[in-house]
Amino acid sequence: MQFQSNFRTYHSRVIALFAAAMLFIAVAACGPGNERPDSDVGIQMFQWNWDSIAAECPTLADNGISWVLTSPIVEHVQGDQWWTSYQPVSYKIDSKLGNREQFAAMVSTCNDAGVEIIADAVINHMSGMSDGGTGVAGSEFEHRNYPGIYGPDDFHTCGTSNDDIVNYNDRSEVQNCELVNLADLKTESETVQATIVAHLEDLLDLGVAGFRIDAAKHIPAQDVEAIVSALPQDTRIIGEVIRAAGEPIQPEEYTNAGGVFEFSWGRDMKSLQAGTTLSTFFKAGTTSQYLPSESAYTFVENHDTERGDSTMNYQSPNYELFTALMLASPYGTPVLYSGYAFSDRDAGAALKADGEHVANAECVDREFMDGAWTCQQRWPGIVNMVQWRIDAADTPIVQEWSEGDGLAFARDGAAFIAVNRGIEPLTGTWQTTLEQGKYCDGGAGTVIAGDCNEPTITVDQDGTVAATIPSHGFLAVSNSTKS
Ligand code: AAO
């Protein structure tokens, strides 16, 4: 008896301690400026200027988004096109997106809100203007000469026509020739590495949490590793290595340096929207053509692919639905996208009256006239699915179902999603693993995350849910949407 009572006392103390610890964790996670638990969902805010990202960070935090991937931040060549951002001419933080002061203020505002900043780092190359010129912050440059930073000896020439990459099946060409005429840095050189590291350290000192490594395929993996190893260990690294069947350089080479974008994901989501049997969604992330989940960053659209046809873009009818599926999948770290509407591939974002700096982003509607900011971070279905993902945590996928244009699954005991990629409404009854009760529908076009006032979905005693899902729509319920 004595033993039992001691055991009970001990047991209740352990429970009390555990409860206190959980409360502490919950309070810490929901402290000021960090309203919701960390989802580790990121968002690429393409061509958003620093003031606009700063203004949006409290909303991002409210919507559960953990980090922002910016566009490149350093001084670049002049021009109206968006891609001037990818032609650095110095490492001054002074670009069409804002100056150093504005950048520092953004990082600090976002960090205070609980949102990390990941900077797009263009370190494979400098500019691609054969005749040289003057950068947007006044730095004079020639094609392979950036006074005070790099001289001609710091760049590769490779002997192909115009020194350009012609053959992606030749590793040496891909890494030692110029990508579309962009002056190719000798990243194997110690002095070049030291200059790059000093630049990245400067950004870390301003409070950024990590980097996208632009054109990483064109930098030998050992050079990326050497650069990254000089940075603090917790620096988030995301390499851009476009997977292409048969090429000698594959994303897997870069996982020692950090994470890598998994382009197969976006392409597969596009093929699913285009008509491939939906059940193949359940294989996404499980085959050898995918990086291991812990190394993979997934996306349904990025700034390059939305201008090509390899993935969906913001205008695709099933875009929100496949973004929801990306958030619902346990595979990889999802990266949302937010840019501006365009019909001309090269068109840059709208400029301020000075004709030099990108205008402040505004989220108005979803009409998508050319130049309008697309603001996916505010689309209700996407906001709700970030919370759904938080609710799903690390629960496994169960109750897989797919038929025609419909697909459904549960995350065991935590969440359920059913999608309809077709043009007709889809009516059905599905087995969930949720408790009986009334739930709000996260796919219904209203932001409900954390505030379920109008429950329209009933989970019956046997765990089933009956519903009609509109064309290109989805039904999403999870524990926190129970009324
Ligand atoms: C601009 C002008 C050029 C001019 C140059 C210099 O357009 O005419 O010569 O300035 O003055 C961006 C723009 C470029 C722009 C550049 C500099 O996209 O148009 O050039 O800024 O201002 C390769 C790289 C990859 C790269 C991609 C564009 O591997 O790293 O090309 N992406 C990043 C950025 C991008 C940026 C840069 C790099 C440069 O995200 O925005 O360029 O900083 C295959 C290969 C890929 C290769 C593509 C494209 O991919 O596998 O490695 O990407 O081809 O050539 C299917 C296939 C797949 C194929 C893919 C795309 O999915 O399966 O194999 O399609 O075609």
Side-chain angles (χ1 to χ4, degrees):
M1 287 300 266
Q2 182 61 43
F3 168 76
Q4 268 192 7
S5 126
N6 281 349
F7 178 76
R8 249 186 246 120
T9 316
Y10 171 77
H11 200 233
S12 48
R13 276 195 194 133
V14 169
I15 289 172
L17 268 173
F18 180 71
M22 291 316 283
L23 185 67
F24 175 77
I25 290 167
V27 169
C30 298
N34 190 0
E35 302 290 315
R36 294 168 63 194
D38 190 17
S39 63
D40 204 27
V41 170
I43 183 164
Q44 178 183 2
M45 300 193 76
F46 177 64
Q47 293 291 307
W48 278 58
N49 69 26
W50 311 145
D51 290 351
S52 302
I53 294 178
E56 194 69 358
C57 265
T59 303
L60 297 173
D62 283 350
N63 293 351
I65 294 170
S66 299
W67 49 272
V68 170
L69 168 60
T70 69
S71 281
I73 52 199
V74 296
E75 179 183 10
H76 49 79
V77 298
Q78 297 184 19
D80 291 343
Q81 304 89 342
W82 61 267
W83 43 252
T84 57
S85 293
Y86 286 93
Q87 299 195 38
V89 301
S90 80
Y91 291 141
K92 284 185 203 159
I93 304 178
D94 196 350
S95 73
K96 66 169 104 176
L97 299 175
N99 61 27
R100 186 177 181 95
E101 212 177 13
Q102 289 166 310
F103 183 79
M106 168 194 72
V107 177
S108 145
T109 303
C110 292
N111 283 348
D112 286 352
V115 177
E116 292 183 342
I117 297 294
I118 306 298
D120 197 348
V122 184
I123 58 172
N124 168 65
H125 54 260
M126 298 297 277
S127 63
M129 303 292 166
S130 299
D131 296 335
T134 307
V136 292
S139 301
E140 308 274 338
F141 65 92
E142 292 163 40
H143 185 42
R144 296 193 190 104
N145 191 17
Y146 302 83
I149 310 167
Y150 298 121
D153 288 347
D154 292 322
F155 294 92
H156 291 130
T157 51
C158 77
T160 58
S161 150
N162 199 34
D163 285 309
D164 270 351
I165 299 165
V166 181
N167 179 8
Y168 271 84
N169 291 321
D170 182 332
R171 173 183 291 270
S172 167
E173 251 186 51
V174 173
Q175 298 186 327
N176 299 317
C177 294
E178 293 179 345
L179 167 64
V180 293
N181 205 42
L182 299 161
D184 195 59
L185 281 163
K186 287 182 177 166
T187 49
E188 69 277 20
S189 134
E190 278 181 21
T191 55
V192 169
Q193 285 184 8
T195 306
I196 291 171
V197 167
H199 162 51
L200 300 181
E201 282 174 339
D202 177 35
L203 296 174
L204 291 170
D205 287 347
L206 291 176
V208 311
F211 305 101
R212 167 188 184 267
I213 308 293
D214 179 66
K217 184 190 280 185
H218 306 275
I219 310 174
Q222 65 266 25
D223 298 352
V224 177
E225 283 171 39
I227 291 164
V228 167
S229 67
L231 307 175
Q233 257 197 330
D234 60 351
T235 308
R236 189 193 292 263
I237 299 294
I238 318 173
E240 187 231 5
V241 185
I242 300 178
R243 186 187 289 287
E247 284 187 14
I249 306 165
Q250 293 293 327
E252 282 72 11
E253 285 180 29
Y254 291 81
T255 53
N256 285 341
V260 186
F261 283 108
E262 180 48 89
F263 280 71
S264 288
W265 180 273
R267 290 177 196 145
D268 284 356
M269 292 305 113
K270 182 180 178 193
S271 81
L272 288 172
Q273 103 121 5
T276 303
T277 312
L278 267 180
S279 63
T280 52
F281 170 81
F282 296 118
K283 294 209 183 81
T286 63
T287 63
S288 59
Q289 62 160 336
Y290 280 92
L291 288 158
S293 182
E294 63 277 12
S295 301
Y297 284 80
T298 52
F299 59 94
V300 295
E301 170 189 31
N302 77 16
H303 69 283
D304 285 328
T305 66
E306 72 171 349
R307 287 172 170 75
D309 62 358
S310 62
T311 68
M312 283 181 256
N313 69 28
Y314 61 93
Q315 287 176 315
S316 314
N318 283 318
Y319 177 90
E320 193 166 4
L321 180 161
F322 280 100
T323 303
L325 284 178
M326 171 176 74
L327 290 165
S329 168
Y331 176 73
T333 302
V335 188
L336 304 171
Y337 182 79
S338 186
Y340 57 87
F342 62 90
S343 42
D344 169 4
R345 178 208 185 259
D346 294 331
L351 297 177
K352 290 182 173 166
D354 66 8
E356 288 177 5
H357 294 97
V358 168
N360 289 345
E362 280 179 69
C363 293
V364 185
D365 50 33
R366 279 166 72 168
E367 291 299 315
F368 307 142
M369 302 289 288
D370 272 3
W373 298 92
T374 51
C375 297
Q376 284 89 328
Q377 72 276 14
R378 294 183 178 212
W379 295 10
I382 292 178
V383 176
N384 293 333
M385 283 305 298
V386 174
Q387 179 61 48
W388 190 104
R389 183 176 181 85
I390 292 167
D391 290 347
D394 54 2
T395 56
I397 289 186
V398 291
Q399 302 294 353
E400 293 178 9
W401 173 90
S402 130
E403 206 176 286
D405 285 327
L407 174 123
F409 61 92
R411 295 288 296 276
D412 202 9
F416 173 78
I417 185 169
V419 309
N420 172 18
R421 75 173 167 187
I423 53 172
E424 299 294 337
L426 172 72
T427 299
T429 301
W430 295 277
Q431 185 68 49
T432 77
T433 53
L434 294 169
E435 278 177 20
Q436 177 185 15
K438 293 264 192 196
Y439 291 75
C440 280
D441 179 5
T446 317
V447 173
I448 50 142
D451 191 16
C452 176
N453 290 325
E454 284 182 40
T456 55
I457 303 296
T458 303
V459 173
D460 282 335
Q461 205 172 9
D462 63 357
T464 58
V465 64
T468 295
I469 304 169
S471 147
H472 306 304
F474 60 95
L475 161 75
V477 284
S478 59
N479 283 340
S480 71
T481 68
K482 191 162 185 272
S483 68

